[in-house]
Amino acid sequence: MNSTETTDVKLAEPHLEQVLASAGIGVEYTRAERNTLYYRDEEGTEIPVLDLVGGFGSLILGHNHPDLVAHAKDLLDAGTPIHAQFSPHPHANRAALELNRIVHRETGTEEPYFAVFANSGAEAVEAALKHAEFDRGLRLAELRDELAAHRVAARAAVAAGENVAASAYAAAGVAPEAGFEGLIEAVERENARRLARSPLFLAPEGAFHGKLVGSVQLTHNEAFRLPFGSLAAQARFVPVDQPGVLGKIVREEGAVVLDVVTRDGEVGVVERPFPLFCAFLIEPIQGEGGIRVISEAFAQEVRTLCREIACPVVVDEIQSGMGRSGAFLASSLIGLRGDYYTLAKSLGGGIAKTSVTLIREGCYRQDFELVHSSTFAKDGFSSQIALRTLQLLEADDGRAYRTAREVGGKLLTMLEEVRSDFPDVIKDVRGKGLMLGVEFHDQVRAASPDLRAVAESGFLGYVIAGHLLNAHRIRVFPTGSSVNTLRIEPSIHLSDEEIEQLRTALRAVGSLLRDQDVQRLVGAG
Ligand code: F0G
């Protein structure tokens, strides 16, 4: 095989391409602007497609925003240094300052957030996980020192004639005959075992935080996670909106060590908590899990519990952030405050690939900067594009956020109207701003055997997507972990006509599903 020119030789993940082609969505696009992707048909005519996938949420400002394109050209023409590793990064720093200004305004805090830049969403999540573990390791070391100092003090107290409480032996799991040194040995052995446990992460059921080695452990979908479970520390997934369950799960883990203390004239052994839980990761609006807005009550429960167990809260705004919800941070709308925030996708304005992990000063360990890095992070080009993107969002007193709310409101109203006309087809419509989901009823019990077969294969959402593309020139996909939910994430430039185009298309799908007309659903008509 020596002809890399031959386009019919496929080596870049050809299997996935085939799967997409079989659902009728394997179209190659040749041009893009605002909410439109164009392809060329067999005659070479350019065909526009309304793109509601929006780069999986990367295009809050649309494809190829003219201001960003012009800025990118200027930067390249001016020979801006893109790679100047190990030198000051003024542009990344300006982006960090702007991010702080916005986050402070929305969350009402003044505490600085330090910024660790990266290149993709999963990488920002992994920087958060690594930083949280770095911090946990330092806190564990402090705890070990403190426990050791307490044992030394207890030994001195016993030598000076202090009594050892009978309950201390029971707590350490040794008989009183073992004597005080036997007790100390047992406590040390037991603590060493407990403190060596792998860190545990917490995340809600339905979570999606990426697909790299660490982040995939926090992605609830078993198909993505289980094959790689042996590679990294695990998460416990907690059910959402079940008050008290979160606390129960945390208690079940029994994250306590034994502390030898001198109290009330006696030496005793008490249990005290240790930081087993490394971080709680949470998306304010679950994206890939099916567009589910986290409730204020659950957000509050997470905050309260995490404060109790000294576990940092990592708010993953990679998809919901950058104005998509109608605020810069979707978490600010539900009163969820993060010790860390992760941003990616639209941070690059649809042009650059960049991401960032923001870490509250009170949790920040500056030595992390000496042990974590990436060649491409903080590069001059992406940082300046990110900064301009932030400026565009903030322009005119946050007009972009208002637009996201207004256009999103119109879109949601339309979707609700279609649902109320087709309640037997559309199960639910939900989301916030320009992050919306349309869930179709499962068709596994449909009268039509063909439709049942499609539903059983788990491809109903993709078949609907294929129909919308081929019959209505609308591009939309189901979420990977909620296969009957179409995810709608356009840019703020969505027009009334485009909303009507989607209404017409969804009504047509509603009728076809109501009529169980699989022939026309899988065809273009
Ligand atoms: N966190 C969230 C909330 C995400 O939605 C994603 C990606 C990631 C992290 C990982 O980012 O792909 O840049 O490494 N979501 C895409 C999706 C894949 O389909 O919604 P990444």
Side-chain angles (χ1 to χ4, degrees), residues 1-310:
M1 210 189 308
N2 57 9
S3 170
T4 45
E5 303 270 303
T6 327
T7 48
D8 54 5
V9 177
K10 303 243 162 155
L11 295 177
E13 304 191 40
H15 175 61
L16 176 64
E17 206 173 298
Q18 243 173 19
V19 172
L20 298 175
S22 68
I25 46 181
V27 175
E28 181 191 328
Y29 295 98
T30 49
R31 195 166 71 83
E33 64 185 355
R34 292 166 84 91
N35 287 306
T36 308
L37 277 165
Y38 297 88
Y39 68 90
R40 289 195 180 274
D41 68 9
E42 278 156 16
E43 282 80 53
T45 310
E46 202 173 48
I47 309 289
V49 170
L50 171 58
D51 180 23
L52 302 174
V53 177
F56 288 154
S58 306
L59 299 169
I60 189 66
L61 296 174
H63 287 280
N64 293 320
H65 189 285
D67 201 288
L68 290 172
V69 170
H71 191 45
K73 284 181 183 164
D74 288 348
L75 292 173
L76 296 177
D77 285 345
T80 194
I82 295 174
H83 293 301
Q85 288 85 349
F86 265 16
S87 58
H89 283 85
H91 307 299
N93 196 55
R94 280 176 65 205
L97 289 171
E98 185 65 358
L99 284 164
N100 265 270
R101 192 183 65 73
I102 301 170
V103 169
H104 289 162
R105 182 189 66 221
E106 283 206 352
T107 61
T109 49
E110 285 176 10
E111 189 174 353
Y113 279 82
F114 289 96
V116 177
F117 283 88
N119 310 287
S120 72
E123 213 186 316
V125 167
E126 301 223 353
L129 304 184
K130 276 185 70 184
H131 184 279
E133 179 58 3
F134 192 66
D135 171 49
R136 194 186 76 98
L138 293 171
R139 287 191 285 143
L140 280 177
E142 283 163 23
L143 176 64
R144 278 198 186 91
D145 287 351
E146 201 186 319
L147 293 172
H150 286 179
R151 290 195 299 272
V152 169
R155 185 175 280 125
V158 170
E162 195 104 41
N163 189 36
V164 180
S167 61
Y169 290 98
V174 287
E177 294 73 49
F180 179 69
E181 284 308 318
L183 177 143
I184 291 288
E185 234 176 70
V187 165
E188 283 176 354
R189 211 173 33 244
E190 187 56 24
N191 282 352
R193 189 182 66 80
R194 295 186 191 184
L195 291 171
R197 283 177 70 184
S198 292
L200 265 182
F201 293 93
L202 293 165
E205 289 176 356
F208 186 93
H209 296 289
K211 288 182 179 162
L212 292 184
V213 164
S215 47
V216 79
Q217 316 301 336
L218 293 144
T219 287
H220 189 220
N221 187 326
E222 291 188 347
F224 297 148
R225 174 169 47 91
L226 288 188
F228 312 103
S230 60
L231 288 177
Q234 303 294 295
R236 283 208 64 173
F237 293 96
V238 300
V240 177
D241 285 336
Q242 291 188 21
V245 174
L246 185 51
K248 189 167 153 282
I249 285 174
V250 163
R251 280 190 302 278
E252 261 168 30
E253 289 295 336
V256 287
V257 280
L258 302 174
D259 193 5
V260 184
V261 292
T262 312
R263 209 179 264 171
D264 304 329
E266 257 192 342
V267 170
V269 171
V270 296
E271 289 189 331
R272 61 184 281 184
F274 76 93
L276 173 67
F277 296 99
C278 190
F280 194 121
L281 278 93
I282 182 164
E283 298 154 87
I285 306 173
Q286 289 189 335
E288 209 267 354
I291 312 292
R292 294 174 205 282
V293 183
I294 292 295
S295 69
E296 279 185 40
F298 186 67
Q300 192 53 46
E301 196 182 357
V302 169
R303 259 314 325 167
T304 308
L305 188 90
C306 285
R307 201 174 302 123
E308 254 169 49
I309 62 173

